[in-house]
Amino acid sequence: MSNNKSDIQSINLRHLLNFFGEERTEKFLSDFECKLNIDIENFLKKTAIGFSKQRLGMTHLVFKRLQKDNPDSGWAVVGFYSIAAKTIKLNKNTKLSSRMKKRVEKFSDAENDEDYYTFSAPLIGQLGKNYKDGLNRLASGKELLDLALDTIVAAQNEIGGKLTYLECEDNEKLISFYTNNGFAVFNKKINIDNKTGEKYCLVQLIKYMSE
């Protein structure tokens, strides 16, 4: 387990694959449900293993003890998060604080153009709860996010870096959740759904890791 908290832990999906093999791991993931966002459920069941094997992005399953402070109680998968290494272009005219812009500039490419900061940072690509049999009630979104951030801090302590970012739906509740946890909006981008051809908006947020 990657986190030292006593009743909630995370484990890299690659470790499960190495220990159980792909077929048993797929069966293990089949119990995950997220009817509020079927894309999150589909990612874990259909994409996460392939991404982990190719190291395109690393998924971490979050386990929580069923009975807090009872070492004999079992554990359940209450959610997951995925992290990938990405390169970001951030417009210098974006409405970020001058302090944040200075932090971004410190980690940006020295040869970037006049209009954008270009830098590499971990992307929190997916963050989701398991709604199977009410397991979502065992862990908060903040607990999942904190575990993701802990994983990023541990990696950056080894390789350097202080920035991370994520993308979420243009939803006031989601944006408030992330801004209340130290992220700042830096861009909105329009994507096209490959299946329906419909346009949708994603909000991009950035965070400076103070640890």
Side-chain angles (χ1 to χ4, degrees), residues 134-164:
L135 290 172
N136 59 296
R137 295 192 291 270
L138 296 182
S140 67
K142 178 170 172 44
E143 286 180 299
L144 300 186
L145 180 60
D146 284 347
L147 284 168
L149 295 175
D150 287 347
T151 301
I152 290 169
V153 168
Q156 290 179 332
N157 283 341
E158 299 295 330
I159 65 174
K162 278 281 192 178
L163 301 170
T164 188

Side-chain angles (χ1 to χ4, degrees), residues 109-133:
D109 189 338
E111 297 181 358
N112 60 350
D113 60 38
E114 295 180 357
D115 298 322
Y116 291 89
Y117 300 114
T118 303
F119 58 96
S120 297
L123 163 70
I124 302 176
Q126 301 283 344
L127 188 77
K129 288 185 181 184
N130 186 4
Y131 285 79
K132 176 81 170 182
D133 298 329

Side-chain angles (χ1 to χ4, degrees), residues 5-189:
K5 297 176 182 177
S6 60
D7 68 330
I8 187 167
Q9 308 283 337
S10 64
I11 185 169
N12 194 314
L13 182 59
R14 281 186 62 85
H15 296 163
L16 291 179
L17 288 167
N18 291 337
F19 188 80
F20 293 115
E22 187 167 340
E23 185 175 350
R24 289 184 65 189
T25 301
E26 285 178 346
K27 291 181 179 179
F28 185 69
L29 299 182
S30 66
D31 283 335
F32 188 92
E33 290 183 2
C34 188
K35 294 180 180 178
L36 294 180
N37 191 331
I38 196 63
D39 289 339
I40 287 177
E41 180 177 331
N42 286 339
F43 172 83
L44 185 63
K45 292 181 176 180
K46 299 178 181 179
T47 307
I49 288 178
F51 272 29
S52 291
K53 289 171 66 176
Q54 298 177 66
R55 304 205 180 203
L56 296 174
M58 307 309 289
T59 293
H60 300 252
L61 298 183
V62 177
F63 294 78
K64 188 147 189 183
R65 199 186 300 276
L66 292 173
Q67 298 178 25
K68 188 176 181 180
D69 300 325
N70 180 359
D72 295 323
S73 69
W75 294 76
V77 177
V78 296
F80 78 97
Y81 58 88
S82 65
I83 300 172
K86 295 291 182 179
T87 299
I88 312 166
K89 292 187 71 174
L90 191 154
N91 194 305
K92 293 181 179 180
N93 293 322
T94 191
K95 293 182 180 179
L96 285 174
S97 68
S98 58
R99 185 182 185 189
M100 178 61 84
K101 285 185 178 181
K102 287 181 181 179
R103 288 170 166 174
V104 170
E105 184 175 12
K106 182 168 64 174
F107 290 98
S108 64
D109 189 338
E111 297 181 358
N112 60 350
D113 60 38
E114 295 180 357
D115 298 322
Y116 291 89
Y117 300 114
T118 303
F119 58 96
S120 297
L123 163 70
I124 302 176
Q126 301 283 344
L127 188 77
K129 288 185 181 184
N130 186 4
Y131 285 79
K132 176 81 170 182
D133 298 329
L135 290 172
N136 59 296
R137 295 192 291 270
L138 296 182
S140 67
K142 178 170 172 44
E143 286 180 299
L144 300 186
L145 180 60
D146 284 347
L147 284 168
L149 295 175
D150 287 347
T151 301
I152 290 169
V153 168
Q156 290 179 332
N157 283 341
E158 299 295 330
I159 65 174
K162 278 281 192 178
L163 301 170
T164 188
Y165 85 110
L166 56 81
E167 298 175 346
C168 73
E169 297 175 7
D170 192 4
N171 176 292
E172 184 176 346
K173 185 177 180 180
L174 276 176
I175 295 169
S176 294
F177 169 72
Y178 289 119
T179 55
N180 288 337
N181 282 282
F183 284 82
V185 175
F186 71 88
N187 186 37
K188 291 186 177 183
K189 69 176 187 179

